[in-house]
Amino acid sequence: MGAEGGLPPRPLPGPGGWVLLDIGNTRCKIARHGPSGKEGKFPGAWRPRTLTTLPSRWPDLRQWLRQELTGRETLLVSSVVPSLGRGLSHWIEKRGGRVHFATSRSPWSFRLGLRHPETVGSDRLAALEGALTRYAAPLVVVSCGTALTFSVLDAGGVFRGGAIAPGLDLASRILHRGTAQLPEIPLRRPRSLIGRDTGESLRSGLVGGTACLIEELSRRIREELSPGRKAVKVIGTGGSASLLAPLCPGVKAWEPCLVLRGLFSLAGRIRNR
């Protein structure tokens, strides 16, 4: 997709031979270079696979990775679960491989303008990097996962911060566990915002409410970032994206593998240093 104004989108370098691992709070995604040997393409040369229920213990995640990894790979990892990351690093090194963890000190293609950059999740940084391979700054990346995060990149390529709220699934679980009578229901698009029973009301408040939060907070962030001047694109990603996308017309594009795309770009930058 083309870009207008601001920083141009950056083409994806081809890291070749690296394995990318995105460890989130709920899901784990892995991608490796395809058998064709072609570089510089995503996702054509990379085949993401997803573990939809993230194990809480490292031995369980290791069992899944044994089926995905073949030997002495070099892994580039974005992890928001430190305990799993430590186990992974030790295990890979024992197998003769290497592990690079994405952090605030990694060679991203943008600068960090945060008070405490060491506290920001590597998934947010990787998602911004992935967005920049397809879209020009300024932009806002909305990640709809366990947490609902808004990451803001200004026209000069500086990560200015953003916002964090409970994600859709997390909000549903908290509402159920924190009340005596509200059930935990399957989440789907509400038929109407005026629910006629408890289930419909929950879907309206959870799904419709999250969509309204995305729309309104994105609009206000755009106004604050660039009042009346340069257009700011909003890009969505995350596990709840398919459910929320039809309700969020202000989000211009939805990218299902934005963190992996960002890791792909980062791997090339690390290799070429």
Side-chain angles (χ1 to χ4, degrees):
M1 298 185 182
E4 299 176 0
L7 294 178
R10 296 169 173 81
L12 285 168
W18 288 50
V19 175
L20 312 177
L21 190 61
D22 170 18
I23 301 177
N25 287 294
T26 307
R27 297 176 176 86
C28 182
K29 292 183 180 180
I30 191 170
R32 65 169 56 253
H33 201 259
S36 65
K38 295 181 181 179
E39 296 187 12
K41 295 183 179 179
F42 187 100
W46 295 77
R47 299 180 177 180
R49 291 170 56 83
T50 302
L51 181 63
T52 56
T53 303
L54 185 70
S56 59
R57 301 185 311 116
W58 159 242
D60 298 324
L61 179 59
R62 181 180 59 198
Q63 191 66 29
W64 180 70
L65 289 174
R66 277 194 175 126
Q67 304 172 30
E68 300 294 332
L69 302 178
T70 58
R72 298 180 177 179
E73 293 96 343
T74 298
L75 272 69
L76 179 56
V77 182
S78 167
S79 175
V80 298
V81 187
S83 60
L84 294 179
R86 287 190 291 269
L88 170 68
S89 181
H90 180 69
W91 181 63
I92 292 295
E93 289 171 1
K94 282 184 63 177
R95 288 164 55 98
R98 292 186 299 165
V99 179
H100 295 269
F101 286 95
T103 71
S104 61
R105 296 185 177 184
S106 298
W108 306 104
S109 60
F110 54 88
R111 303 187 304 281
L112 276 64
L114 308 173
R115 289 199 189 100
H116 304 287
E118 70 280 0
T119 65
V120 70
S122 61
D123 56 335
R124 295 178 69 189
L125 300 174
L128 277 175
E129 181 76 21
L132 277 174
T133 66
R134 293 177 64 82
Y135 308 96
L139 53 83
V140 179
V141 172
V142 181
S143 181
C144 308
T146 304
L148 179 65
T149 64
F150 299 73
S151 301
V152 181
L153 196 76
D154 69 15
V158 178
F159 178 24
R160 292 298 181 188
I164 303 175
L168 189 53
D169 290 334
L170 179 59
S172 176
R173 293 196 301 270
I174 291 173
L175 196 58
H176 168 60
R177 293 172 185 173
T179 61
Q181 291 186 298
L182 294 179
E184 188 170 5
I185 61 169
L187 294 174
R188 56 178 179 264
R189 185 177 177 181
R191 297 177 182 176
S192 168
L193 292 181
I194 304 174
R196 300 184 63 187
D197 57 35
T198 299
E200 289 182 0
S201 298
L202 284 168
R203 289 187 184 93
S204 173
L206 289 166
V207 181
T210 299
C212 290
L213 173 60
I214 292 172
E215 286 287 289
E216 182 62 15
L217 190 51
S218 296
R219 183 186 67 80
R220 295 192 182 196
I221 287 173
R222 293 198 307 270
E223 289 180 354
E224 184 175 330
L225 181 65
S226 184
R229 297 192 294 273
K230 192 180 295 296
V232 180
K233 293 183 180 66
V234 180
I235 312 301
T237 190
S240 300
S242 59
L243 179 59
L244 293 165
L247 302 174
C248 298
V251 180
K252 298 306 179 185
W254 294 85
E255 300 281 353
C257 295
L258 211 52
V259 172
L260 288 177
R261 180 181 287 275
L263 291 177
F264 186 100
S265 176
L266 179 61
R269 294 175 67 83
I270 292 173
R271 189 191 66 172
N272 294 331
R273 291 179 76 180

